Amino acid sequence: MKFTIDTEFLLQRLEELVNTPSPVGYYVELNPRLEQYAAEEGLAVTYDHRSTAYIAMEGEDNSKTVMVGAHADTLGLMVRRIEPNGTLRVRNLGGINYCNLEGETVTIHTRTGQQYTGLLCCQSHSVHVFADARTLERNEDTMMVLLDEPIRSEQEVRALGIRHGDYISIAPRFQRTEKGYVKSRFLDDKAAIACAFTMIRYLKTHGLKPKYRTILAIPHNEEIGLGGTYVPPEVSEYVALDIGLIGPDYDGNEFSVSICAKDNIAPYDYELTNRLIACAERAECPYAVDVYFRYGTDANTAMRGGNNLRAATFGMAVYCSHGMERTHVKGLEATTNLLLAYVLDR
């Protein structure tokens, strides 16, 4: 049975989420939004000591607990040095590809709550000035932030309250097209969180409970490989909602949900992956099963962390991962349909 998804609700949540900064480890703006979303559905958010958010839903059968995870952290940067001329040098937070970040607007978040915008650019920033402007490798040793402030010295930057270790978020530039495409940075993994809240809204609207006690986990450090290392001990299954990939080796596309059978770490659980495939077929979801390289999720990280559970993963396929990503509403709908089929065990 195919579920009727509230696509406008999903896209509204997605736009709000991607516009809420949450580079790896910076949870101070995103967690209150999660609390707001949960409260609207009559649910509460709890946290562990790493500020991972948990939303628990009672099931028809509470003898078993399953977890659905969708990470909130995005790629970002951190101030590593303030140059004598007032420019900022940075370090990566996650797998940054500077080639698709050059010229982007960024925001510096100080430890005292101030925010300043800036321009991320290469030190050889102009073809009119530098002979190597086109050829210089873009990396954290050649990129810099120009603050949108009238400053010319390190002292003036420090007077603004900017220090080493301040977080830097990157403008997401969310867009929807008339043909149903969604383009934005950080669809990885804000799109999955939006699908999860759309699933919760569907359950509430239709007076349904999950088959088993279900916990939605939203960690803040997946992009550095730590998101699933801790899982509450009562959890027996961990299904990570994360992006699918599009490329020469893959059947996945923007109009389907992608089920990953193996990533760069290990294969996902045989029985649970088979169950997801069966759920996709029962829910009439267009789906693909693929094997990924240069890819991992919190679910397999949970396995590596020694947690006693089954692991699997699925999600909407995107173009240009870790850049200006693109997917389609049909892929978001298919992902939400599969999620509903899984939690309802239908």
Side-chain angles (χ1 to χ4, degrees):
M1 180 191 75
K2 188 173 184 178
F3 302 96
T4 302
I5 303 303
D6 187 343
T7 305
E8 283 305 311
F9 175 83
L10 194 163
L11 292 172
Q12 176 189 345
R13 285 289 187 253
L14 175 54
E15 184 171 5
E16 292 168 350
L17 286 163
V18 297
N19 284 327
T20 304
S22 58
V24 176
Y26 181 77
Y27 46 79
V28 296
E29 296 186 44
L30 199 282
N31 277 354
R33 186 171 291 281
L34 299 178
E35 292 175 16
Q36 170 202 334
Y37 290 171
E40 290 177 10
E41 311 304 336
L43 298 169
V45 177
T46 60
Y47 300 98
D48 61 20
H49 294 304
R50 300 193 300 184
S51 295
T52 296
Y54 299 104
I55 301 172
M57 293 169 280
E58 294 299 304
E60 297 290 349
D61 177 358
N62 289 321
S63 66
K64 175 179 176 178
T65 299
V66 302
M67 178 168 282
V68 174
H71 68 90
D73 58 307
T74 68
L75 305 180
L77 303 164
M78 186 171 276
V79 177
R80 69 160 169 166
R81 185 171 75 242
I82 305 172
E83 297 282 25
N85 66 357
T87 58
L88 307 179
R89 296 290 180 156
V90 300
R91 289 289 189 206
N92 298 7
L93 291 174
I96 290 288
N97 179 359
Y98 286 105
C99 295
N100 59 42
L101 284 179
E102 187 171 5
E104 189 56 271
T105 292
V106 298
T107 300
I108 296 85
H109 305 264
T110 74
R111 300 278 174 170
T112 54
Q114 299 153 295
Q115 296 188 2
Y116 301 95
T117 61
L119 175 71
L120 182 64
C121 63
C122 182
Q123 63 191 31
S124 295
H125 54 81
S126 171
V127 295
H128 296 104
V129 180
F130 299 96
D132 61 351
R134 291 188 176 91
T135 59
L136 184 64
E137 181 181 352
R138 271 59 173 168
N139 57 45
E140 63 180 23
D141 293 322
T142 62
M143 300 296 285
M144 62 185 184
V145 173
L146 303 177
L147 287 167
D148 299 332
E149 298 287 334
I151 49 92
R152 294 180 178 274
S153 69
E154 176 185 356
Q155 292 73 25
E156 290 176 311
V157 173
R158 291 186 180 276
L160 295 175
I162 295 173
R163 299 289 185 270
H164 295 176
D166 285 346
Y167 281 90
I168 301 175
S169 62
I170 301 160
R173 305 206 178 277
F174 179 89
Q175 302 173 61
R176 296 170 56 179
T177 76
E178 292 182 359
K179 302 295 185 180
Y181 292 96
V182 180
K183 298 183 287 186
S184 181
R185 299 189 191 280
F186 317 134
L187 297 180
D188 177 11
D189 197 26
K190 300 291 182 68
I193 301 176
C195 290
F197 277 104
T198 305
M199 174 270 292
I200 293 172
R201 172 60 59 94
Y202 184 97
L203 296 179
K204 178 184 177 183
T205 300
H206 292 82
L208 298 171
K209 285 185 177 181
K211 174 72 172 179
Y212 302 107
R213 181 172 181 263
T214 300
I215 302 173
L216 172 60
I218 306 177
H220 292 275
N221 41 27
E222 188 273 349
E223 295 292 358
I224 55 173
L226 297 176
T229 49
Y230 170 78
V231 177
E234 68 271 24
V235 173
S236 61
E237 294 179 2
Y238 193 127
V239 174
L241 303 181
D242 214 329
I243 60 168
L245 305 182
I246 297 173
D249 288 342
Y250 311 134
D251 288 336
N253 59 78
E254 296 167 285
F255 307 97
S256 303
V257 58
S258 291
I259 300 170
C260 178
K262 179 190 179 300
D263 62 19
N264 69 328
I265 299 171
Y268 287 92
D269 183 77
Y270 184 84
E271 186 276 332
L272 182 52
T273 300
N274 283 357
R275 201 176 341 138
L276 290 176
I277 293 169
C279 284
E281 292 177 348
R282 288 197 297 270
E284 302 174 33
C285 296
Y287 74 92
V289 180
D290 278 318
V291 174
Y292 296 151
F293 185 53
R294 303 187 186 93
Y295 178 97
T297 72
D298 285 335
N300 254 347
T301 299
M303 296 287 287
R304 295 176 77 188
N307 296 283
N308 182 25
L309 47 74
R310 299 178 186 270
T313 187
F314 66 87
M316 68 300 302
V318 305
Y319 272 103
C320 309
S321 58
H322 282 200
M324 179 57 72
E325 297 163 339
R326 193 186 82 166
T327 193
H328 194 274
V329 293
K330 290 190 181 298
L332 299 171
E333 291 169 345
T335 300
T336 309
N337 259 276
L338 178 50
L339 179 56
L340 278 163
Y342 167 69
V343 300
L344 291 170
D345 196 26
R346 293 183 180 176

